[in-house]
Amino acid sequence: MDFGLTEEQRMIVDTTRAFVENELYPHEAEVERTGELRMELIKEIQAKAIEAGLYAANMPEEVGGAGLDTQTWLLYEKELGKANYALHWTCVARPSNILLAGTDEQKERYLFPCIRGEKWDCLAMTEPGAGSDLRGMKASAREDGDDFVLNGTKHFISHADIADFAITFMATGEEQTPRGVKKKITAFFVDKGTKGFTVREGYRNVSHRGYTNAVLEFDDCRLPKSAVLGEVHKGFEVANTWLGATRLQVAATCLGRAERALGHAVAYAAEREQFGQKIGKFQGISFKLADMATELKAAELLTREAAWKFDEGTVTETDMSMAKLKATETLAFIADEAIQIHGGMGLMDELPLERIWRDARVERIWEGTSEIQRHIISRELLRPLGA
């Protein structure tokens, strides 16, 4: 594995970094202060992202995306991750690659408009009683002639307020497995405005201000069978096939924020004076910086190795779980230490550190908690021994 960047990768990193610094950073204070992202601003930045070739860059070339390999895609995600999450996720959108699992008709209706910036998607899995245990979901869909009828509630659904449709996972039956009875899951396209489908305002979140969540309610919501994504009862197979790299994306954006926080800490330690010398000369500060840099390097190497394996077709769940676990916990460590180095100024909103510190907290929860990642890793260690 070559850790050096190709000329193309350097160009993508430089282009993305310049876009983030020039087009996203200037709006962070407004979004953090108001907790909202104005649609006029979304459209303005979206147009610039499309012009720069950064929009929907996660998609294959044959459908209008950039066709990046996983390593290059994560370098791009790392640079975007340095900015306020709402700004980069909404304005420089990456449509969910689960849309690639659709039929030709579904791609025309949902995928291509998302790639062109005409529509937004959202993914609805989590429920009030089913977070890490998705098989425990209670929201269900039953067949009724040529239709399915959906009932139940989803919550914590990111940016559902602006999404034009939801890719929604519903229980559609049960099956007997060696570990007991499990729910069969089916994925559906549900258009906003469909009778029986309601989007309600979600919860105020300490992390990622401006990046909203919503509650979705389904009350005898009737859909044609053509709304099924993939096959009936095969929703988990669809999700596992097409959402596999999501944990690596989370890892990459965490690396970006950790790098930004470390940069501020190093600069401050080099210029701030106390007791007649730069504070970076005190081991209490310099050793913190050394530990921060080392942890960041370790997290980046884990993530880049997993990305390389993904492209080689040899990646395992454990590889991706290790990357996600290490990167998210490293971000929390670096954000906290960066604030400690800055002292009181680290908690002021003149700097991005208090935001990075707040935002870091959710990363150890969504897309699989740190406990779930540890379960996956330990399971691979123990299963060969029959434990």
Side-chain angles (χ1 to χ4, degrees):
M1 179 182 174
D2 183 3
F3 290 102
L5 300 189
T6 66
E7 186 176 340
E8 180 188 12
Q9 287 173 332
R10 285 196 191 90
M11 181 187 71
I12 289 170
V13 167
D14 291 343
T15 300
T16 310
R17 182 176 296 163
F19 188 89
V20 167
E21 292 176 354
N22 296 327
E23 305 297 342
L24 302 188
Y25 282 1
H27 302 289
E28 285 184 323
E30 175 191 341
V31 176
E32 290 295 322
R33 184 180 66 255
T34 65
E36 297 178 356
L37 193 54
R38 296 178 287 109
M39 184 54 68
E40 313 91 83
L41 181 60
I42 294 174
K43 290 291 188 181
E44 175 188 330
I45 299 174
Q46 181 191 56
K48 293 177 180 178
I50 292 172
E51 184 179 358
L54 297 176
Y55 199 84
N58 60 313
M59 287 292 173
E61 283 185 289
E62 56 266 28
V63 296
L68 304 179
D69 59 62
T70 309
Q71 289 196 71
T72 308
W73 170 57
L74 292 182
L75 291 169
Y76 155 86
E77 292 287 349
K78 179 185 171 185
E79 293 304 320
L80 288 177
K82 294 176 181 178
N84 166 281
Y85 201 87
L87 281 166
H88 76 75
W89 190 260
T90 310
C91 304
V92 194
R94 285 82 88 203
S96 173
N97 62 351
I98 200 173
L99 293 169
L100 294 166
T103 63
D104 288 344
E105 182 181 347
Q106 289 171 338
K107 288 176 182 176
E108 289 292 338
R109 184 170 179 177
Y110 299 108
L111 172 63
F112 296 125
C114 285
I115 290 174
R116 293 191 297 265
E118 298 164 0
K119 286 185 176 182
W120 282 276
D121 63 295
C122 69
L123 203 63
M125 288 188 182
T126 306
E127 298 179 6
S132 296
D133 179 20
L134 288 172
R135 289 277 192 181
M137 68 174 59
K138 295 180 179 178
S140 64
R142 60 178 174 82
E143 289 192 62
D144 184 22
D146 292 330
D147 298 334
F148 277 93
V149 179
L150 282 59
N151 282 285
T153 301
K154 301 287 183 181
H155 78 161
F156 293 158
I157 310 306
S158 299
H159 56 264
D161 56 332
I162 67 167
D164 297 277
F165 62 93
I167 304 164
T168 305
F169 290 76
M170 292 281 183
T172 49
E174 294 181 338
E175 60 183 337
Q176 187 66 44
T177 74
R179 299 189 177 189
V181 176
K182 298 288 186 181
K183 299 280 181 67
K184 294 180 179 180
I185 307 297
T186 303
F188 298 89
F189 286 104
V190 187
D191 292 314
K192 192 171 283 185
T194 301
K195 185 178 179 181
F197 174 41
T198 304
V199 178
R200 290 197 296 105
E201 185 177 352
Y203 315 96
R204 291 187 63 83
N205 186 1
V206 68
S207 298
H208 299 319
R209 287 178 182 165
Y211 186 73
T212 56
N213 68 85
V215 176
L216 310 188
E217 294 178 341
F218 301 87
D219 183 11
D220 286 339
C221 177
R222 184 174 291 271
L223 301 174
K225 290 185 176 178
S226 60
V228 172
L229 174 59
E231 298 180 40
V232 175
H233 304 320
K234 301 292 185 182
F236 267 122
E237 286 84 341
V238 171
N240 289 336
T241 299
W242 294 100
L243 298 177
T246 305
R247 287 174 180 173
L248 296 183
Q249 183 267 329
V250 172
T253 57
C254 286
L255 293 176
R257 264 172 282 146
E259 187 176 281
R260 187 178 179 187
L262 176 59
H264 277 279
V266 170
Y268 191 74
E271 68 182 29
R272 171 72 165 167
E273 288 192 8
Q274 290 286 278
F275 305 104
Q277 62 180 355
K278 308 293 186 183
I279 64 172
K281 290 181 178 286
F282 294 105
Q283 287 185 351
I285 301 298
S286 63
F287 282 14
K288 285 183 185 295
L289 295 174
D291 288 341
M292 293 157 74
T294 302
E295 292 299 310
L296 180 57
K297 175 65 76 174
E300 183 161 12
L301 290 174
L302 270 174
T303 303
R304 293 195 63 187
E305 183 200 38
W308 175 75
K309 284 186 173 182
F310 198 96
D311 289 331
E312 294 291 307
T314 60
V315 74
T316 65
E317 264 198 290
T318 294
D319 293 324
M320 292 188 285
S321 289
M322 284 182 171
K324 200 265 184 183
L325 176 65
K326 184 63 176 175
T328 56
E329 300 214 338
T330 294
L331 170 59
F333 164 70
I334 289 177
D336 194 67
E337 291 287 65
I339 286 177
Q340 195 69 21
I341 288 169
H342 280 77
M345 277 307 301
L347 291 169
M348 303 299 111
D349 61 11
E350 281 79 6
L351 294 172
L353 296 178
E354 60 88 21
R355 171 182 65 79
I356 292 172
W357 181 62
R358 282 187 286 103
D359 291 351
R361 192 60 191 89
V362 75
E363 306 296 351
R364 289 176 281 163
I365 296 173
W366 65 4
E367 298 300 339
T369 63
S370 290
E371 290 72 26
I372 289 293
Q373 308 312 322
R374 289 186 170 96
H375 168 70
I376 292 169
I377 296 163
S378 61
R379 181 180 64 192
E380 186 164 301
L381 294 172
L382 293 168
R383 273 187 177 174
L385 303 178

